[in-house]
Amino acid sequence: MTVHHEQLLHEHFLHEQRHDWTLDEINALFALPFNDLMFQAQQVHRAHFDANAVQVSTLLSIKTGACPEDCKYCPQSGHYNTQLEKEKLLEIEKVVEQAKAAKEAGASRFCMGAAWRSPRDKDLLLVEEMVRQVKAVGLETCMTLGMVDGEQASRLATAGLDYYNHNLDTSPEFYGEIITTRTYSDRLETLSNVRDAGMKVCSGGILGMGEKAQDRSALLQQLAKLSPHPESVPINMLVKVPGTPLENVEDLDPIEFIRAIAVARIMMPQSHVRLSAGREQMNESTQALAFLAGANSIFYGDKLLTTGNPQVDRDRALFAKLGLHPEKIETCESEDTQAARLAQQAQQQVHAERVAELAVDASV
């Protein structure tokens, strides 16, 4: 290892939450010999996490299709013909049923996604009730509902939502090639609203959309600028869906994908880095390298919203082969947390009749 490489590693340990990464520094990490990069990422990972624990989430689409956004990677966009059948907002009872099944399968967090530009008021009331009831199952909760303003974020936080997912997707420079219906600043504003409301941030990006290496560096730079860093950073490999504009884009070299996982781990040492979409297309060796590079979160289950995901039995077999185990979450309540939960339960009664009325009318 050269003196320069040792200096980089030393700086990472001294600055656990750096927000001033330069593109030159990030590019230097990407340019490291693969073994050196993996070694550094693994050292950083072990300094902050159990190296063999993986946080396990399950993702459910609570409202599918007919999204007005034009994200070129997304089969749920109403702009493209992907043969995806649109579905209205799921009933609360079905969501809770899926949450219970996810917990039994070993998930500690339940993520719910709706194909909206932004939630409507009547939909938000139902979503708030979903959060309350899923939390009662004993799971952490996460939502991705599109853009939210300050008031909407505050309502979700009051309902008890733990995480809000809103990806930056790619670099500011490449963003316009992928999405035109909302701006990069729109995304950053939503993340700011989420943070201000007191929720944890889940934000990452998608690799393999035809971007350049510099765009991958710039994406990670933007994520690391967030203060504090996102608690969860999903790194997705593009799933090429027929009917979307990116269905024929050139595949990203898996080694370049692993490098991005490792650099994300080094730059955001206390964040959970999630090996997210694209695992269905990855062999066991690629996934093992991702865990070695510092990935310590996955989605468990058969689907990620609308695209395939390795089945639970396959994941369990891979965990056993690699000696990995699901990360445990603390479920004991403090007195303050218990008081807050009881107060929320009291509020539920106030909303109950309104929620029941809206459940009948919920539509796409």
Side-chain angles (χ1 to χ4, degrees), residues 113-164:
W116 291 321
R117 176 178 173 82
S118 183
R120 299 172 297 184
D121 185 67
K122 70 174 185 177
D123 294 322
L124 196 59
L125 280 170
L126 295 170
V127 165
E128 290 172 294
E129 186 63 20
M130 288 178 190
V131 171
R132 295 186 186 100
Q133 294 200 28
V134 170
K135 284 185 72 70
V137 172
L139 291 167
E140 290 183 322
T141 53
C142 180
M143 285 276 182
T144 178
L145 312 171
M147 295 183 291
V148 291
D149 59 27
E151 180 184 355
Q152 292 171 322
S154 179
R155 287 176 57 179
L156 290 168
T158 299
L161 187 63
D162 298 297
Y163 288 80
Y164 193 86

Side-chain angles (χ1 to χ4, degrees), residues 282-337:
M282 296 179 193
N283 59 32
E284 289 188 343
S285 297
T286 300
Q287 293 186 62
L289 279 176
F291 293 128
L292 186 63
N296 62 336
S297 177
I298 63 167
F299 278 121
Y300 224 32
D302 299 334
K303 264 189 177 183
L304 296 184
L305 294 180
T306 60
T307 57
N309 194 47
Q311 296 180 355
V312 170
D313 288 344
R314 286 173 55 191
D315 282 335
R316 286 175 174 165
L318 179 60
F319 271 36
K321 188 178 294 187
L322 299 178
L324 302 175
H325 59 269
E327 181 181 270
K328 301 296 182 183
I329 61 170
E330 181 59 58
T331 57
C332 295
E333 291 183 317
S334 66
E335 291 183 3
D336 289 344
T337 302

Side-chain angles (χ1 to χ4, degrees), residues 56-126:
V56 176
S57 299
T58 293
L59 179 59
L60 174 69
S61 178
I62 60 173
K63 186 271 178 187
T64 304
C67 181
E69 307 284 11
D70 67 353
C71 309
K72 290 184 179 179
Y73 53 80
C74 187
Q76 300 204 64
S77 172
H79 294 258
Y80 317 123
N81 182 16
T82 61
Q83 307 301 317
L84 181 71
E85 293 187 10
K86 62 181 182 180
E87 300 174 0
K88 65 180 182 179
L89 188 65
L90 280 181
E91 295 88 348
I92 294 173
E93 293 76 12
K94 290 185 178 180
V95 173
V96 174
E97 181 181 309
Q98 291 292 318
K100 290 178 179 177
K103 185 178 181 182
E104 290 177 3
S108 61
R109 187 180 306 160
F110 193 70
C111 304
M112 295 159 273
W116 291 321
R117 176 178 173 82
S118 183
R120 299 172 297 184
D121 185 67
K122 70 174 185 177
D123 294 322
L124 196 59
L125 280 170
L126 295 170

Side-chain angles (χ1 to χ4, degrees), residues 20-57:
D20 60 348
W21 287 91
T22 68
L23 283 176
D24 285 344
E25 288 178 310
I26 302 169
N27 290 336
L29 287 174
F30 270 103
L32 286 173
F34 187 73
N35 287 345
D36 289 346
L37 177 60
M38 295 292 280
F39 178 69
Q40 291 194 23
Q42 183 63 199
Q43 283 190 292
V44 172
H45 185 55
R46 287 173 178 269
H48 300 281
F49 292 98
D50 177 346
N52 298 306
V54 177
Q55 189 279 321
V56 176
S57 299

Side-chain angles (χ1 to χ4, degrees), residues 244-255:
T244 63
L246 298 182
E247 64 174 307
N248 295 315
V249 70
E250 184 178 352
D251 289 339
L252 179 67
D253 187 327
I255 294 298

